[in-house]
C-alpha cells in the first residue's frame, strides 16, 4: 500500500491528463488507484465517482458518491461529492432531490467549513440555480445566480444584489 501523499499526487496527475485518455481507460486507471486503498476508503470511492461522472456515466457516479458520503467522506471532497451528486441527480431527471441536497449544503453554518470548502459556496449556488430552474422555480434560480455573481463584479455590486433579492418578492408578470 502506498502512502497518502503519493496516492494523492497520482490522483492529481491523472486528473490533469483527463483529456489524454479514452473514457474507459480513464475509469480503469482510477479503479486501479482505488484498488490500492481499502475497499471502504471514502476518498477512493469519491474519485471513482468523479471519474465516472467526468466520462459520461452519471448513474454509476451517483452510486460511488453515495457510498463515499455514507462512509464518512469529509472536508473538501465531501463538499465536492455533494455538489457532484446533486448535479448528477439533476442530469438524471431528479432535480427535486438535487435542490434538497444543495439547499442543505448551502444552509451549513460557515464556521463548519474550512476556507477551501467555503470557496465552493459559489458552486453550490450555481448548481442549485440550475436545479431550481429545472423544477420551474426560475425566479429563485435567477435570484440565486445573480446574488452569487454580484460580489464578483467591479461595479454595480449593490444594485445587482438588490435586484437579485427583489426577484423573490416582485410580481413575476404572470
Amino acid at each position: 500500500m502506498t502512502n497518502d501523499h503519493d496516492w494523492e499526487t497520482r490522483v492529481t496527475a491523472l486528473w490533469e491528463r483527463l483529456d489524454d485518455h479514452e473514457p474507459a481507460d480513464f475509469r480503469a486507471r482510477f479503479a486501479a488507484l482505488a484498488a490500492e486503498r481499502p475497499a471502504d476508503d471514502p476518498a477512493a470511492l469519491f474519485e471513482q465517482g468523479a471519474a465516472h461522472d467526468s466520462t459520461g456515466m452519471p448513474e454509476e457516479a451517483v452510486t460511488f458518491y453515495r457510498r463515499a458520503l455514507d462512509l464518512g467522506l469529509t472536508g473538501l471532497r465531501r463538499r465536492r461529492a455533494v455538489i457532484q451528486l446533486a448535479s448528477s441527480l439533476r442530469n438524471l431527471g431528479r432535480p427535486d432531490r438535487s435542490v434538497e441536497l444543495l439547499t442543505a449544503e448551502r444552509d451549513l453554518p460557515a464556521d463548519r467549513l474550512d476556507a477551501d470548502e467555503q470557496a465552493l459556496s459559489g458552486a453550490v449556488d450555481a448548481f442549485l440555480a440550475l436545479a431550481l430552474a429545472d423544477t420551474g422555480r426560475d425566479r429563485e434560480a435567477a435570484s440565486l445566480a445573480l446574488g452569487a455573481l454580484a460580489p464578483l463584479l467591479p461595479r454595480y455590486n449593490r444594485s445587482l444584489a438588490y435586484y437579485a433579492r427583489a426577484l423573490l418578492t416582485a410580481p413575476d408578470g404572470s
Side-chain angles (χ1 to χ4, degrees):
M1 185 151 326
T2 60
N3 71 42
D4 285 346
H5 178 73
D6 175 61
W7 189 81
E8 294 287 354
T9 299
R10 291 183 294 130
V11 165
T12 299
L14 185 53
W15 276 113
E16 289 170 355
R17 296 187 318 271
L18 168 62
D19 294 329
D20 296 341
H21 299 282
E22 292 297 319
D25 177 54
F26 188 73
R27 290 188 302 272
R29 288 174 184 261
F30 263 106
L33 281 172
E36 297 175 15
R37 311 285 285 206
D40 61 353
D41 182 88
L45 291 164
F46 165 76
E47 295 297 343
Q48 283 188 278
H52 281 79
D53 219 354
S54 296
T55 57
M57 299 186 78
E59 291 157 355
E60 292 81 355
V62 165
T63 301
F64 282 108
Y65 294 147
R66 284 185 172 147
R67 180 104 171 100
L69 290 165
D70 288 346
L71 288 169
L73 188 66
T74 61
L76 184 60
R77 276 193 175 114
R78 186 209 57 80
R79 189 153 226 215
R80 289 177 56 206
V82 171
I83 293 167
Q84 291 168 214
L85 171 60
S87 177
S88 292
L89 289 169
R90 184 185 74 82
N91 288 329
L92 293 169
R94 300 202 45 217
D96 289 333
R97 183 65 181 125
S98 181
V99 168
E100 290 172 20
L101 287 168
L102 292 168
T103 299
E105 189 67 20
R106 189 169 193 266
D107 290 344
L108 288 176
D111 63 354
R112 286 193 43 203
L113 304 171
D114 68 23
D116 289 333
E117 292 169 291
Q118 286 181 25
L120 287 179
S121 293
V124 170
D125 287 349
F127 284 95
L128 179 53
L130 288 169
L132 286 167
D134 283 357
T135 62
R137 296 162 63 183
D138 297 335
R139 293 183 76 79
E140 287 177 74
S143 174
L144 191 59
L146 292 171
L149 178 63
L152 305 174
L153 299 177
R155 296 189 56 102
Y156 311 111
N157 315 73
R158 289 181 47 167
S159 296
L160 188 58
Y162 168 80
Y163 291 131
R165 287 187 305 274
L167 278 172
L168 298 177
T169 57
D172 67 5
S174 53

